Amino acid sequence: MAVVAVTIGNNIGSLGAQRQLSQTNAELSNVFERLSSGQRINRASDDAAGLAIASSLNLSSRVFQQGIRNINDGISLLNIYDGALEQLTTILTRQEELAEQASNGVYSTDQRQALHTEYNELVKEFNRIVESVQFNDQALLGTVGLNMRIQGGFGTDASVLLKLSEELARTVGTGEFTGSSDVITVAGLQYGSADFDGDGFDDLAVTVGTSVNIQLSNGDGTFTSFATVSSGLDSSTVQIVTGDANGDGITDLFTRDGNDLAILLGNGDGTFQTGTTYASGITAIIDLKVGDFDGDGFDDVLATTIPAFKDAIFLGNGSGTFQGKTTILSDVGTYGPTLGDVDGDGDTDILLANGTDFDVYGYDETNGLTVIDTITSSVGGDALLADVNNDGRTDLIAISDGVVGVRFGNGDGTFQTEISAATDTLSSRDNIGIGDFNGDGILDIFLAQNDVPAYGQILLGNGDGTFEGAATFDFVTSATNVVASDVDGDGVTDLISNDGLGGISYMTQYTTETNEIAFESLLTQDSAQAVLSVVSSALDRVTSERGVVGASQSRLSSGLATLTVTNENFSAAESRIRDADIAQESARLVQLSILEQASAAVLAQANLQPQLALRLLSDQ
């Protein structure tokens, strides 16, 4: 019986030792797992609540890490964008230097040609940079109003909205016009358009009977009747043109009083002085043109009659007075005169069309106006003189029977072989004109026919002497006496015409925005001085845009610093929950190792007890 009791006691002790050893091995295994992984929680059973919290913190930390990368990408984008803006600033600064140099009166037209060429080559480079700068295949400068969100965390509140190229943009026309017109209810015959009161908006001067009524623009497409000049003009007055008769920088009016020239000097506030007349010596004046025919820097006036196109020139003295008329030619022509500097001497030349021939007259102090060149055109018809290929030389544009022919000028009064430049879709051309309608600095052609219904069309210039036809558009009732003017003060050229109902109508041009700059002319002192303000405005836009970029860079840098600290705190919070305490686990490892060894020794001793008892029995 004693032997049985010893055996049972040893079995119980052995089982207890085995259980203790098993528990120690299990805990030791967990300790090894924590030490090897570095994590206190390796499975949900380790700490279910802690695992849920740690997983949430880990998700946030990973999102913040990606947000840090996103913000760094945004900073890289802004660095590229700002670098491009810096180059644009350099280009504009050089252009301002060129315009300032060309504004000096000591240079001739030929000398300004080099300045003109460099300026416009820089325009091409400016626009190339605008169109080519990209980040990750996304256009930066070429997109007006580029909005881009830089995501730095969860939701919209954790993002930064970058608004790029808004300050850089300028408004330009599209070459298309509204299909209907508002009516200015002034029963006017003819009108001229310019800024009469110095507020930056184009106003109207309208002939009403024997007076001139001044309509001041409100800058939004509406006008206010301001003053009436009781000029004593003939009731058949049919034309008003604008210029600066006395060289004071204030717009004056040139019109007719019967068969005489009438000058109304402006006061700069929208009012005008009573007209002064000069006898013309010709009958039925139907056209007035203002230009500097003798090259003295003062406005002169060319008055024309038909059918013989007997013309009279009034040479200005620069003080608001004019010399007596000089009858300068009598040319049998089929169209009115066109003005331009054909021979590049800085003086205004006169082009007269005779069928398909064009006679070019230049002014000479000894001989007056003499024929510089006679040009034969396959097109004939109406003609314009302008630089349509941007080489600084005046070209000849002839328009007839739907065909536009261009002869490039050589700058000496002669022209090259005619090219076919465009085809227009109008059945007749009662009004033609030239100007930059889409704001690219390249001249476009305006055409209008007064048939019923009345149509208009813009031929947009390509800069190489060719043109592309934009869509035609309707006038309200009439397309006579069409004048190009900025009616609504948006900086884009609109159209004004008689409405055929005793009033005046206008058509506003559709607009768009661009970050590109336009070609400009530095070939005359006046045009170069005008370019100075254009470049200054462009510099202001680029500088403002760089300010926006700098503010965005500062904001992103601040956001990056904040996000970095936040990410560190979330990582640390997760670490405190998930990561193992290495010191504690190491101490636990030592403890459990000792217990394991003790348990193993006790278990071994317990296993020996039955054997010892059996040996004692066997020895007896």
Side-chain angles (χ1 to χ4, degrees):
M1 295 297 294
V3 174
V4 174
V6 171
T7 302
I8 292 174
N10 287 334
N11 286 337
I12 293 174
S14 176
L15 290 174
Q18 287 179 355
R19 178 177 54 79
Q20 185 63 45
L21 180 60
S22 176
Q23 290 177 354
T24 302
N25 283 334
E27 291 187 36
L28 192 59
S29 176
N30 288 335
V31 170
F32 277 126
E33 186 177 23
R34 291 167 185 163
L35 288 173
S36 62
S37 65
Q39 294 182 347
R40 183 181 68 86
I41 304 173
N42 291 287
R43 59 185 60 83
S45 60
D46 292 337
D47 184 351
L51 179 62
I53 296 173
S55 297
S56 175
L57 293 172
N58 177 261
L59 171 63
S60 298
S61 177
R62 295 188 64 175
V63 168
F64 292 147
Q65 287 175 1
Q66 182 60 53
I68 290 172
R69 291 191 288 270
N70 290 347
I71 291 180
N72 281 323
D73 287 341
I75 292 174
S76 298
L77 180 147
L78 290 177
N79 289 339
I80 292 173
Y81 189 78
D82 187 54
L85 291 177
E86 183 178 5
Q87 292 304 313
L88 298 185
T89 302
T90 301
I91 289 174
L92 291 172
T93 301
R94 176 55 182 162
Q95 287 181 320
E96 196 165 35
E97 291 176 349
L98 293 170
E100 176 69 19
Q101 186 176 3
S103 297
N104 195 351
V106 302
Y107 293 104
S108 66
T109 302
D110 289 340
Q111 291 170 328
R112 288 194 179 94
Q113 178 68 55
L115 303 175
H116 171 87
T117 300
E118 182 181 350
Y119 182 96
N120 287 298
E121 286 299 314
L122 290 174
V123 170
K124 295 177 183 178
E125 179 60 15
F126 185 104
N127 294 340
R128 186 197 66 80
I129 292 174
V130 166
E131 291 299 325
S132 63
V133 173
Q134 296 181 343
F135 182 84
N136 196 27
D137 294 331
Q138 184 167 359
L140 300 181
L141 291 167
T143 303
V144 176
L146 176 62
N147 292 336
M148 183 181 301
R149 283 197 175 275
I150 305 300
Q151 192 67 35
F154 294 95
T156 304
D157 291 339
S159 66
V160 176
L161 178 61
L162 301 181
K163 294 185 176 181
L164 304 179
S165 77
E166 288 185 348
E167 298 294 328
L168 194 62
R170 63 187 181 94
T171 302
V172 297
T174 64
E176 298 181 356
F177 292 79
T178 55
S180 61
S181 303
D182 296 322
V183 177
I184 304 169
T185 56
V186 176
L189 295 173
Q190 296 291 318
Y191 43 86
S193 177
D195 181 12
F196 301 134
D197 57 357
D199 63 354
F201 302 127
D202 285 347
D203 309 308
L204 289 176
V206 185
T207 61
V208 182
T210 60
S211 301
V212 176
N213 180 254
I214 305 302
Q215 293 279 319
L216 294 184
S217 172
N218 298 316
D220 58 0
T222 63
F223 292 81
T224 300
S225 183
F226 176 68
T228 298
V229 183
S230 179
S231 58
L233 304 180
D234 188 281
S235 59
S236 61
T237 295
V238 294
Q239 188 181 25
I240 292 180
V241 295
T242 60
D244 185 4
N246 55 356
D248 61 356
I250 297 174
T251 300
D252 306 315
L253 301 179
F254 301 79
T255 185
R256 81 169 196 177
D257 181 2
N259 293 320
D260 299 328
L261 172 68
I263 311 296
L264 286 72
L265 298 180
N267 297 316
D269 58 358
T271 63
F272 290 83
Q273 302 174 29
T274 302
T276 302
T277 60
Y278 296 85
S280 69
I282 58 178
T283 58
I285 295 177
I286 55 98
D287 189 67
L288 294 175
K289 292 286 192 304
V290 175
D292 181 13
F293 301 109
D294 55 358
D296 61 357
F298 303 136
D299 279 350
D300 309 314
V301 182
L302 171 67
T304 304
T305 187
I306 56 174
F309 278 105
K310 186 175 183 181
D311 302 288
I313 279 187
F314 299 85
L315 298 178
N317 298 315
S319 60
T321 62
F322 288 80
Q323 302 174 27
K325 61 94 180 177
T326 302
T327 302
I328 48 90
L329 56 91
S330 180
D331 200 341
V332 179
T334 53
Y335 298 90
T338 301
L339 305 185
D341 182 10
V342 173
D343 53 7
D345 62 355
D347 301 344
T348 303
D349 304 314
I350 301 171
L351 179 76
L352 285 179
N354 297 312
T356 59
D357 292 336
F358 296 96
D359 293 331
V360 181
Y361 290 82
Y363 187 83
D364 179 270
E365 290 186 359
T366 302
N367 302 313
L369 280 179
T370 57
V371 176
I372 299 174
D373 193 15
T374 297
I375 307 160
T376 299
S377 169
S378 61
V379 178
D382 291 300
L384 299 167
L385 290 173
D387 178 14
V388 294
N389 62 346
N390 204 40
D391 64 352
R393 301 180 178 90
T394 301
D395 309 312
L396 170 62
I397 306 99
I399 305 172
S400 179
D401 299 328
V403 178
V404 178
V406 172
R407 287 179 176 269
F408 296 131
N410 296 315
D412 57 0
T414 63
F415 294 85
Q416 302 174 26
T417 304
E418 187 173 71
I419 67 168
S420 178
T423 301
D424 76 85
T425 59
L426 304 186
S427 60
S428 64
R429 280 145 295 281
D430 298 289
N431 290 267
I432 64 170
I434 196 160
D436 179 16
F437 286 90
N438 60 349
D440 60 358
I442 298 172
L443 293 177
D444 313 308
I445 297 175
F446 165 72
L447 306 169
Q449 69 177 42
N450 198 34
D451 298 341
V452 179
Y455 288 111
Q457 185 179 24
I458 300 293
L459 302 178
L460 297 177
N462 297 317
D464 59 359
T466 63
F467 298 84
E468 295 180 3
T472 59
F473 45 86
D474 298 334
F475 285 89
V476 175
T477 53
S478 173
T480 60
N481 308 314
V482 180
V483 173
S485 175
D486 180 11
V487 174
D488 51 6
D490 60 358
V492 174
T493 302
D494 307 308
L495 297 175
I496 306 173
S497 70
N498 284 337
D499 64 4
L501 302 174
I504 299 171
S505 65
Y506 67 85
M507 303 177 67
T508 57
Q509 187 177 180
Y510 291 111
T511 63
T512 185
E513 290 188 323
T514 181
N515 292 336
E516 297 183 355
I517 60 175
F519 294 97
E520 303 289 348
S521 173
L522 301 184
L523 295 176
T524 67
Q525 187 176 12
D526 289 342
S527 64
Q529 289 173 344
V531 169
L532 282 172
S533 62
V534 173
V535 179
S536 178
S537 177
L539 267 172
D540 288 342
R541 294 197 303 271
V542 174
T543 301
S544 297
E545 185 65 21
R546 293 197 72 181
V548 171
V549 172
S552 298
Q553 287 174 318
S554 178
R555 183 179 180 184
L556 286 184
S557 296
S558 177
L560 179 62
T562 302
L563 193 57
T564 300
V565 172
T566 302
N567 180 53
E568 290 177 358
N569 291 331
F570 270 81
S571 297
E574 183 206 1
S575 176
R576 292 186 188 99
I577 297 173
R578 187 189 293 272
D579 292 350
D581 186 336
I582 302 301
Q584 181 182 359
E585 297 299 333
S586 297
R588 185 64 174 161
L589 174 63
V590 173
Q591 180 187 22
L592 292 174
S593 296
I594 294 173
L595 289 175
E596 181 186 40
Q597 293 173 11
S599 297
V602 171
L603 181 60
Q605 185 63 36
N607 288 334
L608 289 176
Q609 290 299 324
Q611 296 178 12
L612 291 174
L614 290 174
R615 287 187 64 183
L616 289 173
L617 292 174
S618 64
D619 288 343
Q620 296 178 357

